[in-house]
């Protein structure tokens, strides 16, 4: 987590007018910094849920756009949240680990007609449509947490 501090006046003011006031300011600032650290930690802990909250509507849209024949392909959709080396990571997709094997083919075949609302580029379309909203959703979820609320669960 980021280091947070606040200071007013000299650290060691001794028995001077400025020193006594600096001591009072440090004591008051310590309580404020403690609360700020608590909120920052809450944001860090809520980030995975905020990512999931932000991507859930986009994932639902991608599923809605996914072509359906037997339902197997639509059922292959996934949203996976994991802890990466630099923090939480989230991935939405279809055909994980090549199951079904035709996932990329169906996604890319723009020359095959689809009954609305299904389409080729179903995942790409959903992300492109929501590209401006996803960061706003993440920010809104984290703002709620910073104000003492919680990120919503799916």
């Amino acid at each position: 987590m980021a280091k947070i501090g606040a200071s007013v006046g000299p650290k060691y003011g001794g028995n001077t007018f400025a020193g006594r006031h600096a001591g009072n300011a440090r004591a008051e600032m310590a309580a404020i910094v403690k609360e700020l650290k608590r909120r920052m930690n809450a944001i860090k802990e809520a980030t995975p849920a905020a990512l999931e909250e932000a991507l859930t509507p986009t994932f639902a849209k991608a599923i809605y756009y996914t072509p359906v024949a037997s339902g197997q392909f639509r059922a292959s959709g996934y949203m996976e949240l994991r802890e990466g080396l630099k923090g939480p990571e989230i991935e939405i997709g279809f055909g994980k680990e090549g199951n079904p094997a035709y996932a990329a083919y169906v996604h890319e075949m723009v020359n095959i007609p689809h009954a609305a609302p299904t389409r080729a580029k179903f995942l790409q379309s959903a992300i492109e449509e929501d590209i401006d909203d996803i960061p706003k959703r993440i920010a809104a979820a984290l703002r709620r947490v910073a104000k003492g609320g919680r990120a919503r669960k799916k």
Side-chain angles (χ1 to χ4, degrees):
M1 179 169 41
K3 184 177 178 180
I4 300 169
S7 181
V8 177
K11 283 197 184 259
Y12 308 103
N15 194 19
T16 65
F17 179 77
R20 287 189 301 275
H21 287 285
N24 291 340
R26 275 195 304 282
E28 290 175 6
M29 292 302 285
I32 293 168
V33 168
K34 182 178 178 181
E35 175 60 14
L36 184 57
K37 286 180 180 180
R38 184 195 67 75
R39 291 182 184 205
M40 296 295 289
N41 192 51
I43 289 170
K44 179 181 176 185
E45 290 176 9
T47 298
L51 291 173
E52 191 172 35
E53 178 182 325
L55 270 291
T56 295
T58 305
F59 181 54
K61 188 181 285 187
I63 289 172
Y64 180 67
Y65 292 161
T66 302
V68 180
S70 68
Q72 178 186 5
F73 187 44
R74 189 173 268 181
S76 79
Y78 65 93
M79 182 164 61
E80 185 175 278
L81 185 64
R82 62 185 166 271
E83 189 62 32
L85 292 175
K86 295 185 179 183
E89 299 174 352
I90 193 163
E91 178 178 293
I92 58 176
F94 292 82
K96 187 171 183 162
E97 297 178 11
N99 186 18
Y102 53 82
Y105 174 79
V106 173
H107 188 268
E108 296 301 312
M109 294 311 295
V110 295
N111 59 332
I112 297 174
H114 298 282
T118 66
R119 61 189 72 172
K121 305 275 190 181
F122 47 90
L123 179 59
Q124 181 178 330
S125 295
I127 294 170
E128 286 176 342
E129 289 172 21
D130 286 5
I131 197 115
D132 292 329
D133 293 331
I134 294 168
K136 291 175 188 173
R137 291 180 200 143
I138 294 168
L142 294 178
R143 247 189 320 276
R144 271 196 315 280
V145 169
K147 291 179 180 178
R150 296 188 182 279
R152 295 182 192 120
K153 297 289 181 184
K154 341 189 241 190

